Amino acid sequence: SSSSQASPAGFLQCLTKANISVFEQGEDLFNTQLDKYIRNPKFLANTTGRPLYVVMPANAHHVQIAVRCGSLNGVPLRVRSGGHDYEGLSYRSVGIEGFAMLDMSELRTVVVDNQTSTVWVESGATLGELYYAISKASNLLGFPAGVCLAVGVGGHFSGGGFGTLMRKHGLAVDNVIDAELVDANGTLLNKTTMGDDVFWAIRGGGGGSFGVVLKWQVRLVPVPATVSVFEVSVSNSQGAAVHAVTKWQKVAPALPEELYIRALVQNGMAVFRAVFLGTCDALLPLMSRSDGIPELNLSRSDCKEMTWIESMAYINSATVEDLTKRTTSEFDSSHGFKATTDYVRRAIRREVWAKIFYKQLRQPNAQVILVPYGGKMSNVAEDATPYPHRAGVLYSMQLYNYWPVDSAYNGAMETKWVRDMYAFMAPYVSSKSRPRGAYFNCRDLDLGPNWGPKYFKGNYQRLTKAKAKIDPHNYFRNEQSIPLPKRAS
Ligand code: FDA
């Protein structure tokens, strides 16, 4: 579709005729609605490419019509569910391309079926809303998805989705059993009618490439009535934090899969936050064993027992009632950020950790966030879903830096830190035979033209084939959407 054929006026008319809410650039409500779910406020600056229109569907039929209006009038659509995209590509473009944003935030019904332990959740729901609804239905069921509560189901499930239950139950996409997708013609498809290749692709191949996922059916997982949590900070006096992290990276991926211990390294400290699917009485001996992490000196008073839903609030420093608020994630709205990801397959030497602590991590807000793999993550084949970072990964590593929002400052220093740190890490996270990986859901435009194999490894080619099947005219596109396969010439 060439832009010479684009008719924004025709698009607008088409939507208005169908009584679909739409806001145009220049209207007051346009900015209110656009800015509402911009989760990285560095993209609030109006220098970024904004949509021509914000479209607010109120039901599935509206989504179908909006896509048809867009296709017919040559106006591309970008879909926004929770707006957490690291590069903001659900609501902004880097190039200059007249597009409209489809805001899914009104489509957020969660229907729990206790009989079958399954849920249909609409893409506009947040993770907090999903978890809350599950907990209202049962305290013995949970769902393995992300930690941060305001993240949208739509983008999150599209790219993988990991959180505190991942070592026991895998990613969100490992537990998706059906979905409804609107394709570029506006046709509503389910698992059967979209076909195996497309159903495979939408479970981890990334949002914004195949169509609009309206809702997802997921299988819930059992959680015990009592789970245990702890948070232990280790300061670096006499190298204690360096030692603890060096030990953690070997131990955390090998511990029983009921135990998830995340490590955050910042300001010369290592902070360990854990969720254990069991009681403190069962957890404490695991930690103090020599193949645990006795270095954390975990005591009975560090360990707190609670329900699973309380643990999801706890790990966010929030309350259970906060789960349904749409603005409670840790970094929401007040901080701009830059981040990127790596996968670590060989434990990093102590001397390197010492360098990271003492030399690399000098900026106050610079963080390295380590998430342990192993368990169920190692037992899912690399091509079972498009998400390929499975067996052999010890942990993922997120390089993250943030700054207070101020219209006069764009985070240049913090952004440079992430880029420099990424360069520093290269020899420790890749080799000739093992190219570097990255997590699609922590999208990074700095990955350059070779982003596809970094996110998806060998699954990338298959994703381009699924793309050709479902969206042969490349209607759904952005700076990092799955392209059509290259034709053999
Ligand atoms: P957003 O609406 O911005 O969409 C992201 C992408 O998906 C865009 O390309 C968009 O077009 C597309 N898309 C959105 N809805 C769609 C739909 N219905 N159909 C098709 N395409 C759609 N991840 C993780 O695994 N575990 C975690 O704990 C966290 N925590 C976290 C915290 C914070 C503060 C942030 C900013 C991000 C995370 N993430 C995360 C990453 C998160 O999973 C990722 O950013 C998701 O893509 C966000 O989904 P949203 O719907 O919120 O984003």
Side-chain angles (χ1 to χ4, degrees), residues 37 39-40 77-91 102 104 122-127 131 145-164 166 171-172 180-182 202 206-216 260 262 312 316 329-332 337 371 387 398 400 439-443 476-478 480-481:
Y37 298 116
R39 301 299 195 175
N40 189 343
L77 276 183
R78 293 196 178 199
V79 193
R80 183 171 78 180
S81 288
H84 280 69
D85 192 277
Y86 274 32
E87 296 283 6
L89 299 187
S90 48
Y91 53 82
L102 191 68
M104 300 292 284
E122 289 186 313
S123 280
T126 63
L127 296 181
Y131 299 152
V147 167
C148 290
L149 302 173
V151 165
V153 160
H156 187 70
F157 286 16
S158 292
F162 69 81
T164 60
M166 66 191 284
L171 303 176
E180 285 189 1
L181 175 78
V182 173
I202 62 169
S209 290
F210 308 104
V212 184
V213 181
L214 282 175
K215 53 178 171 174
W216 312 76
Y260 163 97
R262 180 179 74 173
M312 293 311 298
N316 280 286
S329 98
E330 244 173 301
F331 308 107
D332 259 9
F337 69 87
V371 171
Y387 182 94
Q398 186 170 181
Y400 190 99
Y439 179 31
F440 177 88
N441 266 349
C442 298
R443 190 205 289 283
F476 292 102
R477 58 180 185 267
N478 63 46
Q480 276 186 350
S481 57

Side-chain angles (χ1 to χ4, degrees), residues 400-472:
Y400 190 99
N401 205 345
Y402 67 92
W403 57 92
V405 168
D406 171 345
S407 56
Y409 182 62
N410 64 2
M413 183 181 81
E414 291 80 1
T415 302
K416 182 176 185 308
W417 178 84
V418 171
R419 290 175 180 153
D420 291 348
M421 181 66 183
Y422 186 73
F424 172 86
M425 288 309 300
Y428 313 113
V429 292
S430 58
S431 65
K432 274 219 178 76
S433 60
R434 276 233 178 262
R436 216 160 173 173
Y439 179 31
F440 177 88
N441 266 349
C442 298
R443 190 205 289 283
D444 181 5
L445 290 175
D446 288 344
L447 294 179
N450 201 30
W451 54 265
K454 289 197 171 89
Y455 291 143
F456 304 113
K457 296 173 75 173
N459 293 327
Y460 182 59
Q461 291 306 322
R462 187 169 163 199
L463 285 170
T464 65
K465 287 178 192 146
K467 169 76 176 181
K469 275 200 180 142
I470 193 75
D471 186 21

Side-chain angles (χ1 to χ4, degrees), residues 163-179:
T164 60
L165 297 178
M166 66 191 284
R167 302 192 64 249
K168 176 83 179 168
H169 296 291
L171 303 176
V173 290
D174 299 334
N175 297 281
V176 170
I177 51 179
D178 201 347

Side-chain angles (χ1 to χ4, degrees), residues 7 46 139 181 211 235 245 298 342 359 411 419:
S7 170
N46 52 23
N139 68 339
L181 175 78
S235 75
V245 170
L298 191 70
D342 269 313
K359 294 213 171 103
R419 290 175 180 153

Side-chain angles (χ1 to χ4, degrees), residues 4 53-54 93-94 210 220 223 291 302 306:
S4 62
Y53 306 106
V54 172
S93 78
V94 179
F210 308 104
L220 299 178
V223 292
D291 59 350
D302 296 321
M306 52 184 67

Side-chain angles (χ1 to χ4, degrees), residues 106-405:
E106 297 296 312
L107 302 180
R108 54 175 196 256
T109 307
V110 186
V111 180
V112 183
D113 182 344
N114 256 330
Q115 292 299 309
T116 56
S117 299
T118 58
V119 169
W120 274 104
V121 55
E122 289 186 313
S123 280
T126 63
L127 296 181
E129 288 166 343
L130 171 62
Y131 299 152
Y132 190 82
I134 295 168
S135 75
K136 286 288 151 196
S138 166
N139 68 339
L140 295 175
L141 292 171
F143 189 69
V147 167
C148 290
L149 302 173
V151 165
V153 160
H156 187 70
F157 286 16
S158 292
F162 69 81
T164 60
L165 297 178
M166 66 191 284
R167 302 192 64 249
K168 176 83 179 168
H169 296 291
L171 303 176
V173 290
D174 299 334
N175 297 281
V176 170
I177 51 179
D178 201 347
E180 285 189 1
L181 175 78
V182 173
D183 71 9
N185 299 319
T187 307
L188 184 61
L189 304 167
N190 64 20
K191 173 182 170 167
T192 312
T193 52
M194 77 180 80
D196 291 345
D197 296 328
V198 176
F199 185 57
W200 174 83
I202 62 169
R203 286 174 297 157
S209 290
F210 308 104
V212 184
V213 181
L214 282 175
K215 53 178 171 174
W216 312 76
Q217 189 184 29
V218 300
R219 179 180 38 208
L220 299 178
V221 301
V223 292
T226 303
V227 309
S228 304
V229 301
F230 69 78
E231 175 180 318
V232 173
S233 300
V234 180
S235 75
N236 211 13
S237 64
Q238 284 143 18
V242 169
H243 179 67
V245 170
T246 305
K247 180 86 187 274
W248 172 92
Q249 58 180 346
K250 292 176 197 154
V251 172
L255 284 165
E257 58 191 23
E258 287 74 24
L259 179 53
Y260 163 97
I261 311 177
R262 180 179 74 173
L264 184 145
V265 178
Q266 181 179 9
N267 271 327
M269 300 265 290
V271 181
F272 298 88
R273 270 196 183 191
V275 176
F276 175 62
L277 299 172
T279 60
C280 288
D281 282 344
L283 172 59
L284 286 165
L286 278 177
M287 291 298 293
S288 58
R289 272 169 18 187
S290 60
D291 59 350
I293 317 184
E295 289 80 359
L296 296 191
N297 287 320
L298 191 70
S299 70
R300 192 68 176 73
S301 60
D302 296 321
C303 187
K304 295 185 180 64
E305 292 181 344
M306 52 184 67
T307 60
W308 170 73
I309 195 69
E310 286 166 346
S311 78
M312 293 311 298
Y314 171 87
I315 199 148
N316 280 286
S317 312
T319 67
V320 170
E321 295 314 309
D322 287 339
L323 263 65
T324 54
K325 293 184 191 149
R326 299 193 131 232
T327 51
T328 37
S329 98
E330 244 173 301
F331 308 107
D332 259 9
S333 305
S334 49
H335 293 114
F337 69 87
K338 167 75 189 175
T340 198
T341 47
D342 269 313
Y343 291 91
V344 181
R345 292 171 167 270
R346 264 185 21 212
I348 294 169
R349 293 191 319 273
R350 177 188 306 262
E351 308 86 79
V352 179
W353 276 113
K355 261 191 206 160
I356 293 172
F357 270 86
Y358 296 116
K359 294 213 171 103
Q360 296 302 122
L361 278 163
R362 282 216 184 114
Q363 288 186 22
N365 298 332
Q367 308 179 338
V368 174
I369 304 162
L370 312 174
V371 171
Y373 274 52
K376 170 81 191 252
M377 290 303 293
S378 299
N379 297 331
V380 176
E382 276 189 16
D383 61 358
T385 74
Y387 182 94
H389 315 287
R390 303 281 189 169
V393 173
L394 292 178
Y395 56 95
S396 72
M397 182 176 212
Q398 186 170 181
L399 316 176
Y400 190 99
N401 205 345
Y402 67 92
W403 57 92
V405 168

